[in-house]
Amino acid sequence: MGLELTAADVAALEGRTEGWIAALQLAALSMQGRVDVAEFIAGFAGDARYVVDYLIEEVLARPPEEVQTFLLRTAILDRLSGPLCDAVTERSGGKAMLESLDRANLFLVPLDDRRRWYRYHHLFADVLRARLLDEQPDLVSALHRRASAWYEENGERAVAIDHALAAGAFDRAADMVELAAASMQLLRQENTLRRWMEALPEAQFRARPVLSNDYVGSLMSTGQIDGVEPYLRGAERWLYTMSAEGGGPQDRPPDMVVVDEERFRTLPTRVAVHRAGQALMLGDRAGCTTHARRALGFAGADDDLGRAAAPALIGLASWGDGDVAAAQAGYAESWMHMRRAGHIADVLGLAITLGDLHVVQGRLRDAMHTYEEALRLAAEQAGPVLRGTADMYVGMAALHRERDDLAAANELLCAARSSASTSPCRRTPTAGGSRRPASGRPKGTSTPQRTCSPTRTGSTQATSLPTCGRSPRCGLGCGSPRASWARPAGGRASGTCRRRTTSATCTSSTTSRSPGCCWRSAGASAS
């Protein structure tokens, strides 16, 4: 048709139509005479005029009314199975209907070899949903509620929550989100948890102290502290009320909602931990330590999560004050409790900083052991590669680089890339600096000196092992030590390391380390 599409346009159009020839033809007709072809392709959907006309006139008008009703009522589903369709349509025969539609090639795509699960062609689903909203808008909420109930009964709470939110069943959705929060945090799926919470009305949080505190955690896990104060105060208000009235379920105010009783029991610890984290992110290290010690006072002997979070925060505050030994002790205690709690993804996060602390203390063997143990724990977990695995390989590579074993370092960096992505890795030795994966940590860069000064200075080094003032010939501390800093996520870098830094300076902080800092000198290779 002489449309002169680019390769990117063709690829986008093929993806949107899933190769359906009629849809491609209709899209081409729609694009004739347009000047905004790329924009049209980006937004091409089932409500495009030609697609809607074709599907309604040539497809939807032909099947019997029973089939049309089935198609419209199941249009809200991203996946279709016989039992699910029966629950949503409140009729039987869903499995036979799907098989019939499949045989008729009616825009049904099998999702497994046994043809238990299907989905509609994307454009076809768009048209069905548009028609459902146009003809039976009052039915949409009920259909989503039925789907939510089916998914919850069949152990798929995440999908159940999505359907409850789509139905506007916010009380039900909030109940499920509160119950799902612990497992979502265990799997480090805070972004999904936050998406659910942001879809809930504000009134849900005012009545739910556990959910309110969980929202604080989901915000702070991404480095955000703006807006957390009202939710922390809301959770604290309920705690004060319960303290005054006795604390038992029978003493609760009628407008207070608690679904997860176990996590409500540990709420004082969780709130104090978030107060400590908030103080640290605002640069108040003394306040951080005070709140963290309160959290430890609240935490029961079996509350490993509470006893893991508080020492890590105390460790970060201690590191900010230049007390490396206290920082290492805090992280070691946190590691032990987090491992007991089974939060292996968090163990990996702790291992990153604990390894760096060992390096600061000159305990390179302990650093290597920390990385190796974390990798062993990660390998024992079922499912996808845990976030943080790549950092373990990078830490080990940095240690081999210090030993001038560049071949081993390069192999480990390749392993890091393989665990973080599917990108190919060229396995050739390199003398270039190693960079951490994108994890919010600074990238150390060096200013090599070509000559050595007569004396070794107490230099600082960047947080990744390429060091301040690294000399190709003499190692650490040669010449004038300097380091430039990348901009870490969640904060501003502190700039250039001075030659003799006698106290720590820090202008950013995260829960995994304190990027952008220079640390006091402790010999020729202090960090």
Side-chain angles (χ1 to χ4, degrees):
M1 292 187 177
L3 295 173
E4 298 182 356
L5 302 179
T6 67
D9 289 338
V10 172
L13 192 60
E14 191 279 333
R16 191 69 186 90
T17 63
E18 300 185 77
W20 174 31
I21 294 175
L24 287 168
Q25 181 78 4
L26 293 167
L29 290 171
S30 300
M31 286 185 286
Q32 284 185 321
R34 287 182 175 270
V35 294
D36 57 340
V37 171
E39 183 178 345
F40 170 80
I41 292 174
F44 183 69
D47 57 355
R49 181 168 59 87
Y50 285 111
V51 175
V52 172
D53 291 346
Y54 176 83
L55 287 175
I56 290 177
E57 294 175 9
E58 300 296 330
V59 179
L60 290 181
R62 294 182 179 182
E65 183 178 351
E66 178 186 4
V67 175
Q68 293 188 42
T69 300
F70 179 89
L71 292 172
L72 290 180
R73 293 191 176 186
T74 56
I76 63 151
L77 301 172
D78 293 326
R79 296 183 299 151
L80 306 120
S81 71
L84 174 58
C85 290
D86 289 344
V88 171
T89 62
E90 295 187 322
R91 297 183 180 183
S92 60
K95 182 176 184 296
M97 179 67 77
L98 289 173
E99 292 172 349
S100 175
L101 295 175
D102 187 23
R103 287 193 299 270
N105 293 319
L106 198 58
F107 304 100
L108 203 63
V109 180
L111 296 178
D112 57 53
D113 294 336
R114 305 182 69 177
R115 280 176 156 70
R116 290 184 175 178
W117 286 93
Y118 301 83
R119 68 169 175 83
Y120 291 124
H121 186 289
H122 293 315
L123 292 178
F124 189 55
D126 289 342
V127 172
L128 291 175
R129 289 165 188 162
R131 188 169 181 181
L132 175 64
L133 285 171
D134 183 54
E135 296 182 359
Q136 304 177 62
D138 296 338
L139 185 60
V140 174
S141 178
L143 295 173
H144 279 295
R145 287 175 184 270
R146 296 170 195 169
S148 178
W150 187 90
Y151 273 114
E152 185 179 25
E153 290 171 4
N154 286 271
E156 295 193 48
R157 185 178 286 162
V159 188
I161 291 171
D162 285 329
H163 279 290
L165 291 171
F170 296 121
D171 287 342
R172 173 182 172 80
D175 287 349
M176 288 191 290
V177 170
E178 184 172 319
L179 291 172
S183 61
M184 298 296 285
Q185 291 163 355
L186 173 63
L187 299 172
R188 302 308 300 268
Q189 294 180 342
E190 290 93 346
N191 288 336
T192 299
L193 187 59
R194 181 173 173 178
R195 174 176 62 81
W196 289 335
M197 291 180 175
E198 290 177 345
L200 292 170
E202 191 67 26
Q204 293 293 335
F205 296 96
R206 288 196 293 268
R208 299 171 181 266
V210 175
L211 192 67
S212 186
N213 187 62
D214 282 334
Y215 187 46
V216 172
S218 69
L219 292 172
M220 294 179 65
S221 69
T222 57
Q224 180 177 337
I225 57 172
D226 293 338
V228 305
E229 185 63 26
Y231 297 96
L232 273 174
R233 288 182 179 176
E236 289 169 336
R237 177 175 66 86
W238 290 113
L239 291 177
Y240 295 147
T241 301
M242 293 302 297
S243 176
E245 297 188 11
Q250 69 280 0
D251 301 316
R252 291 174 188 165
D255 55 340
M256 176 180 171
V257 180
V258 173
V259 181
D260 191 329
E261 293 289 346
E262 175 61 23
R263 295 175 69 240
F264 180 74
R265 183 178 66 83
T266 62
L267 190 60
T269 305
R270 303 291 184 268
V271 171
V273 164
H274 285 153
R275 281 294 183 195
Q278 181 189 38
L280 183 65
M281 295 170 78
L282 292 172
D284 180 7
R285 293 193 291 272
C288 170
T289 300
T290 298
H291 286 296
R293 294 194 190 285
R294 285 182 61 242
L296 285 174
F298 290 135
D302 59 343
D303 185 5
D304 282 306
L305 283 180
R307 292 193 168 277
L313 288 163
I314 294 173
L316 278 174
S318 300
W319 198 356
D321 288 330
D323 190 344
V324 177
Q328 189 272 332
Y331 264 81
E333 183 178 354
S334 180
W335 165 291
M336 176 186 68
H337 286 290
M338 199 65 80
R339 185 172 173 179
R340 284 182 185 174
H343 280 232
I344 304 304
D346 290 296
V347 168
L348 293 180
L350 290 166
I352 297 170
T353 306
L354 189 56
D356 286 338
L357 284 164
H358 287 315
V359 171
V360 170
Q361 296 172 303
R363 296 160 56 181
L364 303 188
R365 290 183 180 177
D366 288 340
M368 183 67 79
H369 174 74
T370 297
Y371 297 140
E372 291 173 343
E373 179 66 9
L375 281 175
R376 185 186 67 78
L377 292 171
E380 293 175 353
Q381 308 306 305
V385 176
L386 291 176
R387 186 175 69 188
T389 300
D391 292 272
M392 302 303 102
Y393 289 115
V394 171
M396 294 166 67
L399 295 175
H400 280 286
R401 183 175 182 269
E402 287 303 301
R403 299 168 181 165
D404 204 29
D405 188 350
L406 301 183
N410 191 63
E411 288 294 318
L412 288 163
L413 291 175
C414 287
R417 175 180 289 180
S418 297
S419 68
S421 69
T422 57
S423 303
C425 186
R426 182 177 300 174
R427 297 178 178 268
T428 54
T430 174
S434 62
R435 293 188 175 185
R436 302 267 184 189
S439 59
R441 305 182 63 197
K443 301 167 186 170
T445 60
S446 61
T447 306
Q449 305 297 318
R450 297 304 175 187
T451 59
C452 294
S453 57
T455 59
R456 291 168 63 83
T457 62
S459 66
T460 59
Q461 67 181 40
T463 54
S464 59
L465 282 174
T467 58
C468 298
R470 180 180 176 87
S471 165
R473 290 194 292 164
C474 302
L476 298 172
C478 295
S480 300
R482 295 177 61 81
S484 59
W485 297 77
R487 183 181 295 277
R492 200 164 43 82
S494 63
T496 302
C497 295
R498 298 180 182 276
R499 180 173 179 176
R500 290 186 176 90
T501 303
T502 56
S503 62
T505 58
C506 199
T507 54
S508 70
S509 61
T510 69
T511 55
S512 62
R513 66 169 299 104
S514 293
C517 301
C518 295
W519 308 107
R520 69 175 61 178
S521 174
S525 60
S527 291

